[in-house]
Amino acid sequence: MKPRITVITLGVDDLEKSLAFYRDGLGFSTEGIIGAEYEHGAVAFFDLQSGLKLAIWQRKNIAHDANVPLTASSPVEFTLGHNVGSKEEVDQVMDQAKQAGATITTPAHDTFWGGYAGYFQDPDGHLWEVVWNPQWEI
């Protein structure tokens, strides 16, 4: 297996609500919901950087497709990191997420390691970390 990820799929409970959050609130580009004509098939894809897509798919349909039981979700199973080029950009993205309906769990702040970061949750509780790392060039 090559160390590469091409799609990150988030399990959601309300596909339309999540679509509106990512498309209208955060401005992610998408063709909208596709595959609705298939049982368990409705999904939306968003283009991220070259070669990477974000998908939203109903949790119950992921469970069906993967043949695993639908269980309670936990926001701390993983986080999605969105690195930006400045502290000001962290503040801008956090504000945009809040305006889109995100829950701010940790306001942007100076970190112990010299960066600047904050966390928000999307409508389904997925954690996003918006971070400026002075060691990384964006």
Side-chain angles (χ1 to χ4, degrees):
M1 182 172 176
K2 295 184 176 162
R4 170 181 64 229
I5 294 176
T6 52
V7 179
I8 297 169
T9 302
L10 300 178
V12 301
D13 291 319
D14 185 331
L15 191 58
E16 292 283 346
K17 183 177 181 179
S18 291
L19 174 64
F21 176 79
Y22 285 104
R23 180 191 60 206
D24 305 333
L26 297 185
F28 287 14
S29 176
T30 182
E31 294 179 23
I33 296 172
I34 61 170
E37 67 273 22
Y38 304 107
E39 184 179 12
H40 309 293
V43 64
F45 293 98
F46 304 90
D47 292 322
L48 301 178
Q49 67 263 28
S50 179
L52 181 61
K53 292 189 181 293
L54 176 71
I56 53 173
W57 196 16
Q58 288 186 310
R59 293 177 67 244
K60 66 182 181 180
N61 293 336
I62 295 172
H64 173 82
D65 198 52
N67 196 29
V68 297
L70 181 60
T71 60
S73 63
S74 169
V76 296
E77 292 170 350
F78 67 93
T79 67
L80 295 165
H82 180 69
N83 284 70
V84 297
S86 68
K87 289 182 176 185
E88 294 77 22
E89 197 173 350
V90 170
D91 290 334
Q92 290 168 356
V93 172
M94 293 291 289
D95 185 57
Q96 182 181 10
K98 183 177 181 180
Q99 296 303 316
T103 300
I104 306 300
T105 63
T106 303
H109 64 284
D110 292 314
T111 65
F112 69 90
W113 48 267
Y116 188 74
Y119 283 92
F120 70 83
Q121 286 181 293
D122 74 4
D124 287 278
H126 300 110
L127 276 171
W128 284 77
E129 181 184 22
V130 182
V131 61
W132 168 70
N133 184 333
Q135 272 111 77
W136 290 4
E137 189 172 320
I138 304 297

